[in-house]
Structure formats: C-alpha cells, structure tokens
Amino acid sequence: MKAEIICIGTELLLGDIVNTNAYVIARALKEIGIDVYYHTSVGDNFERIKEIFTTAWKRSDIIITTGGLGPTRDDITKEAIAKALNLKMILNNEAMSKIEEFFKKINREFTENNIRQAFIPEGAEIIPNEVGLAPGVLLEKDGKVVIMLPGPPFEMEPMLKNFCIPYLHKKSGAIIYSRVLKFYGIGEAALEEKLIDLIDSQTNPTIAPYAKMGEVTIRITAKAKNKEEALKMIEPIEEEIKRRVGKYIFAFDDQRIEDVVGKMLIEKGLTIAIAESCTGGLIAHKLTNIPGISQSLDRAIVSYSNRSKIELLGVNSLTIEKWGAVSEKTAEEMAKGVRKSSNCDIGLSVTGIAGPDGGTSEKPVGLVFIGYSDRNTTFSRKFYFKGQRNEIKERAANAALQLLRERLSEQIDF
C-alpha cells in the first residue's frame, strides 16, 4: 500500500512553524508496513489543496492530511477534498453535539462559524478528538483511504496513535523494521563502494547509506509479518556487512557515541577527566547525559584562555609561546595535566579554532587537536573539520569520544 502525507497550512510554507507532523506520521506508518512515497506541504488555498489532493488520489492508496479542520475561513481542507471527489458536505450530529456541549461547559458564547467543524464529506465518519474540538475524518472510497487530521500536534498525535494506526495496521498486515549500523572512520562513498553489490541487488531487505554529522549510517530495512520475521531477513545482510567493514562500526540503532563510550568506561571501572577549550564543555555535556557516568567522569575543565591552561592544567607557558594554544603539544599537555591533577586513569583534551574568526593560513578555522593521556602513553591527533561554529564543535566533541572509544577497545592495561 502506497501512502502520501499532505500537510496543509500557509504557516508551514512561510517557515513560521516546523512541520513535525509529516515526520511523526511517516515513522508511525513505517512501523506497520506502509510505504510513504510522497510528502507535500500546501498553503491554505482552496484550488491548490484540491489540485494537490487530486494528484495524490491518482497515485496513492492512502492519503493522510493534517491541518485546515478548524472553524475559520481558511480551514478549508474538508471542503476542498469533498469538491475533488464530487461529494456533498453533511452535518455530523455527533460532532455537532460535542461542540455544543463544549461551549455550554465553559459558559462561552457559541459562534456560528464553529458549525464548520461538524460538517464532513458524505460517506465519511468522524475520528474522535479527545483534546480538541475539530474531529478528524475517515473516508473510504473506490478502494482508497483518506484520513484528515487536525494540524496541532497535541491533537493530531493521539488521534493517529489511538485510532488511525490500529485501523491501518489491519489493512496492511505487515510491519517495516529497520536495523541501523553506525560507522566512523570511513566516508559514505568508500562505504558504498565496499557494499555496492549488496546495494545493487537489494529487494527485501533494502540497504541505504546515509551521512550524518561525523558519521555514516547503513539502514537495513525489511518488510515482514512481524518483527521476528524481519530480524531473520536482516541478520544475514548485517553479518555480511560486519564481515566486510565491521572494524568501522561503533554503534547500532539509537545508540550514540557517548552511550558506547560511557558504557565502556563504567564496565572497565575507569575514571576520566576532560579539558576542553574550543568545545566549551560539549564533551562533558554528552557524557553527563549517560546514567551512572558519575562512576567514571571525575571532572571536566573548560580551559578557554591560555591562562587557565597554564594555571589549571599545568601547560608550560613556553609550549604555548612556541607552538600556540592550538597545537599538538598543547593538546598533549592539557590531557596529561588534567589526568595528573585529578589522579584519574585517563585524560582527554581538545583545543582548536571553531571560527568563524581566528583562523590563519597556517591554522585555519576548523583545525582541532585532540589529546589523550593514560599512564602508558600520551598523544594527540590533528583534525580539520568543515562547517559553521556549532558544527565544528559538534564534530570535534564526537571525534574526541571516538578516539576514546578506539583506545578503550584496545587490549591494554590502564
């Protein structure tokens, strides 16, 4: 079954609000095995809504709309769809009774425009709205399903979850289940090259690579009767991918790099101290989102100025004078200094130029050094990150955690 989502509202086109409805609906449909082929946003214009719906009617089996069900003149979704399907608008007594009861309960004047919310296309039925006045609409015609839902997410989401998804699940008889593999240290193009034969021959399950901030993911998706059957279909593909490029995999599904590293630190019983300059505490922020990390994370110092690096971390002033605050030597002394002053097993540091200013031809914006120190070794790595200031900070923090993961994965005595 092919589904299409149409989100209605001029405010979406103007960027006044973020269209979260399409995201929520698409994810919910995926879980019950319904493929979403199209997302469309359209303003509050009768002819354009009618035109978009007519196109959707020709190419999709299920059409879900959000928005345009309220009492005002620009709430015209039901009327435009009824016109496109040559249907009359009929007053629904159940919806009308609920609206009248609501106004009596709050002791407010009932205005005539509220009656609009009780009209639905002939042959349709209402979808109860437990938190608002505008009911949803369910219409089956010519083997197709049309579902109209309110725009506000706090109204739409309960209706989707409690009515629409159970109703559509009975029709689909399947689920779509995905397994996500996350990679670091290999680019999207290189990863695709190593898996190209698997990607080219895909049917069910499907394999799709995606690039994200500092990582690449592979999504393996199977359509099956249930989760157990989907996992059986996914498993051989996943094992083959692991055989070819398993050394680059660091996490699965919803796991983040901080989840992986935090778990490793706790399980190994290791303590860590962090010294951050350009990331401004972002590494510590990520780790402190992990329950139980207090067993391992001793302290984090934001040593943004040269003076703080010298006074708090013991960085030699001559090092900064000769090599600069953004250098491998400074990163190493920062990591070693925070480890020794805290008496921790591991010291981790980061120093760099996040921009947009401060770069030179020798040390451009995006240059970052990450330092690492334990009782056996102290070293640093050099990185060049592209992007805006926040993106460089995010990439640097993730790279530091990835370096830590690599070190924790080695069979060494800390």
Side-chain angles (χ1 to χ4, degrees), residues 144-207:
K144 296 176 183 282
V145 175
V146 180
I147 292 175
M148 297 171 242
L149 297 172
F154 72 91
E155 294 184 45
M156 186 282 293
E157 291 182 25
M159 297 167 74
L160 177 73
K161 177 182 176 182
N162 299 330
F163 178 87
C164 302
I165 294 304
Y167 167 80
L168 292 172
H169 196 186
K170 293 177 182 178
K171 290 183 173 294
S172 72
I175 67 161
I176 295 176
Y177 182 81
S178 295
R179 176 76 163 158
V180 177
L181 284 61
K182 298 184 178 182
F183 298 79
Y184 185 81
I186 184 171
E188 182 181 14
L191 182 61
E192 183 182 63
E193 182 67 25
K194 293 181 180 297
L195 305 176
I196 193 65
D197 58 312
L198 298 177
I199 295 172
D200 285 345
S201 63
Q202 64 181 325
T203 52
N204 184 24
T206 58
I207 306 168

Side-chain angles (χ1 to χ4, degrees), residues 34-212:
I34 294 177
D35 300 305
V36 177
Y37 278 29
Y38 304 97
H39 287 185
T40 307
S41 293
V42 62
D44 300 304
N45 178 280
F46 188 93
E47 290 301 324
R48 286 195 286 272
I49 294 172
K50 179 185 170 187
E51 178 186 357
I52 290 295
F53 178 82
T54 300
T55 299
W57 181 260
K58 292 176 182 177
R59 65 190 182 187
S60 300
D61 306 305
I62 299 169
I63 304 167
I64 300 179
T65 72
T66 67
L69 303 186
T72 61
R73 288 180 178 270
D74 61 353
D75 292 312
I76 50 178
T77 298
K78 293 178 291 185
E79 291 83 351
I81 290 175
K83 184 69 172 178
L85 297 176
N86 295 313
L87 298 174
K88 297 178 181 179
M89 293 292 290
I90 306 295
L91 181 68
N92 182 275
N93 292 326
E94 181 182 348
M96 191 67 220
S97 296
K98 181 180 178 182
I99 294 170
E100 291 174 333
E101 181 182 340
F102 172 80
F103 278 91
K104 287 179 182 178
K105 184 176 180 180
I106 63 172
N107 196 27
R108 279 174 52 187
E109 179 186 359
F110 177 84
T111 55
E112 291 299 316
N113 59 356
N114 280 287
I115 299 177
R116 293 170 58 89
Q117 297 175 99
F119 275 88
I120 63 174
E122 62 178 329
E125 60 181 274
I126 64 169
I127 300 172
N129 184 343
E130 301 299 331
V131 294
L133 276 185
V137 177
L138 170 65
L139 175 65
E140 291 196 39
K141 180 176 171 59
D142 300 337
K144 296 176 183 282
V145 175
V146 180
I147 292 175
M148 297 171 242
L149 297 172
F154 72 91
E155 294 184 45
M156 186 282 293
E157 291 182 25
M159 297 167 74
L160 177 73
K161 177 182 176 182
N162 299 330
F163 178 87
C164 302
I165 294 304
Y167 167 80
L168 292 172
H169 196 186
K170 293 177 182 178
K171 290 183 173 294
S172 72
I175 67 161
I176 295 176
Y177 182 81
S178 295
R179 176 76 163 158
V180 177
L181 284 61
K182 298 184 178 182
F183 298 79
Y184 185 81
I186 184 171
E188 182 181 14
L191 182 61
E192 183 182 63
E193 182 67 25
K194 293 181 180 297
L195 305 176
I196 193 65
D197 58 312
L198 298 177
I199 295 172
D200 285 345
S201 63
Q202 64 181 325
T203 52
N204 184 24
T206 58
I207 306 168
Y210 301 93
K212 293 186 177 181

Side-chain angles (χ1 to χ4, degrees), residues 179-181 183 191 195 198 220 234-249 251-252:
R179 176 76 163 158
V180 177
L181 284 61
F183 298 79
L191 182 61
L195 305 176
L198 298 177
I220 311 171
I234 289 171
E235 185 177 358
I237 302 294
E238 180 179 335
E239 290 304 313
E240 178 59 21
I241 292 174
K242 286 179 180 177
R243 187 185 69 79
R244 298 187 189 188
V245 287
K247 66 180 181 179
Y248 299 107
I249 297 174
F252 300 90

Side-chain angles (χ1 to χ4, degrees), residues 270-273 296 298-299 336-347:
L270 297 172
T271 56
I272 185 172
S296 294
D298 178 82
R299 68 191 67 181
K336 189 173 184 178
V338 77
R339 176 178 66 83
K340 285 191 170 183
S341 65
S342 62
N343 196 29
C344 284
D345 299 308
I346 297 169

